[in-house]
Amino acid sequence: MKETDAGDHVPLERPQGNVGKPGGKLLKGAAILGAAAVLSKLLGTLQKIPLQNVAGDTAFGIYNAVYPLYILILFAATAGFPVAVSKFVAEQAIQGEHEEAKRIVRVSSALLLGTGLVLFLLLYGGAGEIAHWIGISKTESAIRSVSFALLLSPVLAVLRGYFQGYQNMVPTAVSQVIEQLIRVMTMVALLLYMVALAYEEEWIAAGATFGSVTGAAAGLLVMYLYWRKAMRSERDEQMGAGLGLGVGAGAGARAGASASASASARAGASAGARAGASASASASADADAGARTSASQQTGNSLVAAPLTSWQWMKRITAYAIPVCLGAIVVPLLTLVDTFTMPRLLEAAQGSEGEAMRQFGLYNRGLPLIQLVVMIASSMSAVLVPAMAEAKAKGEVEVMRFRAEMAVRLSWLIGLGASFGLAFAAVPINVMLYKSDEASWTMAVLAFTALFSTLNAVTASVLQGAGAIHTPAKALLVAIVLKALGNVVLMPRWGIDGAALSAVIAYAAAAGLNLVQLRRSTGARFALRPYAVSPALGVGLMGGCLAALQLLAMPAVAAWHVPERLCASAIALVCVVGGAAVYGLALLRSGGISPAELRLMPELDRRLAPVLAKLWPAKTAAGPRE
């Protein structure tokens, strides 16, 4: 990035139609960013399946041991900086200090480049020692491979925060999708190349992790192109203004940017909290108070505050970002527990590194499916924070209680159905995705983490909206301890099945702690029938149908000499669609959730109203219950 570029002004989408309407642009930007996040998460989750199919369970295990370590370090180094940069850029834009906003980018980029360089040297140079801590020497090459991404991702985070500060979410959204696409394409290309040349599993895994490097490079390139485009547009605008052309339009555009940035500043602390930074707001206040300078200079007859120095900006940005980073690393820490416990325990039981990593790969087969379920729940829970915060601000205690109860009930019903569905159909799903039914029992046990992970995602959002922002992080810290202890105690007895059981226990404990706090904060009540009786009926019917389907279909299709994987794929897809239909109909018929209750959740009611009108025409016509 050239110094001349950094010194120019960026117009950053200031259309006249948005002047005075920052809220509409904020909502539109949030929708764009949310859609991009879901798409990138979907790509990131599903890319693990071809990795196992092409490279096998050993390389799959090495990849799953190393990648959580990279994510933890990346989150620790950068997670809070897009939020911090966007906040301070928005504040400067409100005041018309657009040059100062660009200086924030330069200062933040220098800070994170230094941090990324140090972390890269530690990770690359210490790869052998880290592999020793993991207990598997074959992870060393993959650790070195992924470390190069730390040289690129920090600046990428800063540029995303800068554009978000002006409420221009398109560059962030486009870069996220391109980053994941290039990452997946690199991984698949290197997999095919290395497998064709008969590389060892450790090098194949290293090739898969290198996709994070090319993905980060692609994302950074996209952001830089948006930056250059903005620079050129601003230079053209300034040249036109200098010739007396378009002066009024430039002033109006500046006003639009300030209005948008004002909305961004008001949303900055909320975005930080949603990223998991329970203490970010108070840290920001402390940082602002501590970093402001009392120095001033006389200019004519007015007193003008001196701008902050680069060092003061560094302290301010870091103080705001660190709590966000600390909150963001809790979830990666829970995943990292398996990296530093399971390979050693498996090697002690199996007697070889290769078999230990193969077993670790088998254990990770079910995780992409669970992550998909949690991703759906997380997208649903995105609306809960503002809804709960609004009710709390208005003092509507009953509305808070109702929304909390409905959110928990829906997450419980979705998670319960998904968990039992994955468990009942574990064998055909395993064969469809991974070519064999090995470790299907492990996948079935691990499926129940979908239930408690879904509850965690939704209850955390409800608690944030209700003001209890510390509880979710504390609950996950308890889960980390329980997962580590569970692995140590259960794996010597039951191997990867024990690890799956310890995961269920850990996530269940975290969900339980969240629910206890949720009852205290909102007064929510959880009756027996909607949480146990009706769901039990639905799960029982679904389980019976799926068991009958598999018992009848597998021998019949085998008699027709259909390839095993094709047969399993057909059965798995029918199980997913048929199981969801049976479970949903059972819930609706048994009163697990009623049309009247759904009517009070407008978005869900809009989508399900046609189905409910056919099932319960009389009840659908009735008004909502008081």
Side-chain angles (χ1 to χ4, degrees):
M1 188 179 300
K2 295 181 181 179
E3 185 65 28
T4 54
D5 297 335
D8 294 327
H9 172 60
V10 185
L12 297 179
E13 271 195 22
R14 294 177 231 160
Q16 293 293 322
N18 285 323
V19 176
K21 299 179 182 179
K25 190 173 183 182
L26 181 65
L27 291 175
K28 180 181 177 182
I32 293 172
L33 207 56
V38 169
L39 180 57
S40 62
K41 285 180 181 179
L42 184 64
L43 289 170
T45 298
L46 296 180
Q47 56 94 20
K48 296 179 180 180
I49 295 172
L51 170 60
Q52 187 276 341
N53 280 213
V54 175
D57 288 306
T58 301
F60 188 55
I62 295 172
Y63 176 88
N64 281 289
V66 171
Y67 193 69
L69 175 64
Y70 162 70
I71 291 296
L72 174 70
I73 295 173
L74 182 65
F75 276 27
T78 67
F81 282 89
V83 176
V85 171
S86 66
K87 174 189 184 296
F88 292 119
V89 164
E91 288 179 351
Q92 295 303 311
I94 292 169
Q95 302 168 18
E97 299 290 343
H98 300 282
E99 294 301 321
E100 192 71 3
K102 288 193 288 294
R103 193 159 75 92
I104 291 172
V105 173
R106 295 196 297 271
V107 170
S108 302
S109 297
L111 174 63
L112 285 190
L113 272 175
T115 304
L117 178 60
V118 170
L119 291 173
F120 161 73
L121 293 173
L122 290 175
L123 198 60
Y124 187 89
E129 187 65 26
I130 296 172
H132 176 71
W133 294 342
I134 294 173
I136 302 296
S137 62
K138 291 184 176 182
T139 58
E140 182 176 347
S141 299
I143 294 172
R144 286 204 170 98
S145 172
V146 79
S147 66
F148 288 95
L150 295 172
L151 298 173
L152 304 169
S153 296
V155 179
L156 177 59
V158 171
L159 289 177
R160 284 172 174 169
Y162 177 69
F163 280 85
Q164 289 169 27
Y166 280 99
Q167 287 304 294
N168 187 355
M169 304 299 179
V170 173
T172 297
V174 173
S175 69
Q176 283 181 344
V177 175
I178 295 298
E179 179 182 1
Q180 284 287 15
L181 280 173
I182 297 300
R183 178 177 163 230
V184 173
M185 291 170 62
T186 301
M187 187 199 73
V188 172
L190 289 177
L191 275 177
L192 295 174
Y193 175 77
M194 290 182 166
V195 169
L197 296 181
Y199 275 75
E200 295 181 357
E201 287 94 345
E202 58 186 294
W203 289 106
I204 294 174
T209 57
F210 192 74
S212 298
V213 182
T214 58
L220 183 58
L221 177 61
V222 169
M223 294 304 298
Y224 180 70
L225 291 176
Y226 273 105
W227 174 276
R228 291 284 296 175
K229 181 181 178 181
M231 296 300 105
R232 286 195 298 270
S233 297
E234 180 56 23
R235 280 195 291 269
D236 293 343
E237 179 183 317
Q238 290 174 347
M239 290 177 63
L243 294 173
L245 301 175
V247 175
R254 180 85 64 172
S258 297
S260 283
S262 176
S264 174
R266 290 193 296 269
S270 174
R274 286 194 295 270
S278 58
S280 61
S282 60
S284 172
D286 294 340
D288 292 351
R292 293 188 189 278
T293 176
S294 60
S296 60
Q297 58 186 16
Q298 190 74 27
T299 305
N301 294 324
S302 64
L303 199 64
V304 180
L308 295 178
T309 65
S310 295
W311 175 247
Q312 288 171 326
W313 270 124
M314 280 189 183
K315 290 194 295 183
R316 246 179 127 176
I317 293 167
T318 303
Y320 189 91
I322 284 178
V324 184
C325 296
L326 292 177
I329 66 173
V330 176
V331 174
L333 271 175
L334 185 54
T335 307
L336 200 65
V337 169
D338 287 336
T339 295
F340 285 101
T341 58
M342 287 189 66
R344 282 186 176 277
L345 292 168
L346 288 170
E347 185 180 10
Q350 303 296 331
S352 71
E353 279 192 6
E355 181 59 22
M357 291 316 298
R358 194 184 77 84
Q359 290 287 323
F360 190 56
L362 291 173
Y363 169 81
N364 279 280
R365 283 186 176 188
L367 293 183
L369 299 174
I370 294 164
Q371 289 165 356
L372 283 177
V373 175
V374 178
M375 183 180 70
I376 294 170
S378 298
S379 63
M380 178 189 74
S381 68
V383 299
L384 296 176
V385 175
M388 293 295 297
E390 178 190 16
K392 183 181 180 182
K394 293 179 178 178
E396 298 174 339
V397 178
E398 283 301 307
V399 174
M400 281 184 64
R401 181 184 63 79
F402 172 79
R403 288 177 177 172
E405 289 175 357
M406 282 296 295
V408 172
R409 191 189 310 174
L410 286 173
S411 63
W412 170 263
L413 295 176
I414 292 171
L416 192 71
S419 294
F420 275 97
L422 288 174
F424 286 134
V427 173
I429 289 175
N430 201 6
V431 176
M432 176 182 72
L433 296 179
Y434 300 110
K435 302 188 291 187
S436 75
D437 63 357
E438 196 171 3
S440 292
W441 178 253
T442 303
M443 181 183 288
V445 175
L446 202 60
F448 289 95
T449 61
L451 167 60
F452 299 113
S453 297
T454 299
L455 281 175
N456 271 320
V458 173
T459 54
S461 294
V462 174
L463 287 169
Q464 281 187 359
I469 56 179
H470 298 283
T471 301
K474 292 178 180 178
L476 285 175
L477 289 174
V478 171
I480 289 169
V481 174
L482 289 177
K483 184 66 171 84
L485 292 176
N487 283 354
V488 172
V489 173
L490 299 177
M491 284 188 64
R493 181 183 295 269
W494 294 313
I496 57 176
D497 294 341
L501 180 58
S502 72
V504 175
I505 294 171
Y507 280 105
L513 291 172
N514 282 348
L515 287 171
V516 169
Q517 182 60 46
L518 189 144
R519 290 193 61 181
R520 293 174 181 170
S521 300
T522 66
R525 298 185 295 269
F526 307 117
L528 182 64
R529 178 173 178 176
Y531 287 92
V533 178
S534 296
L537 175 62
V539 165
L541 288 174
M542 176 178 64
C545 291
L546 295 187
L549 174 64
Q550 293 178 63
L551 289 174
L552 294 174
M554 284 185 174
V557 178
W560 298 338
H561 303 291
V562 177
E564 181 185 14
R565 194 174 189 186
L566 181 60
C567 169
S569 299
I571 294 173
L573 293 175
V574 172
C575 283
V576 171
V577 177
V582 170
Y583 180 69
L585 289 172
L587 287 179
L588 292 170
R589 284 296 188 185
S590 64
I593 187 166
S594 70
E597 289 169 329
L598 282 176
R599 194 174 291 113
L600 297 176
M601 306 287 283
E603 187 65 23
L604 287 174
D605 181 55
R606 181 179 64 81
R607 297 182 181 184
L608 296 179
V611 177
L612 297 178
K614 294 179 181 179
L615 291 173
W616 291 343
K619 291 185 179 181
T620 305
R625 293 190 306 235
E626 295 294 334

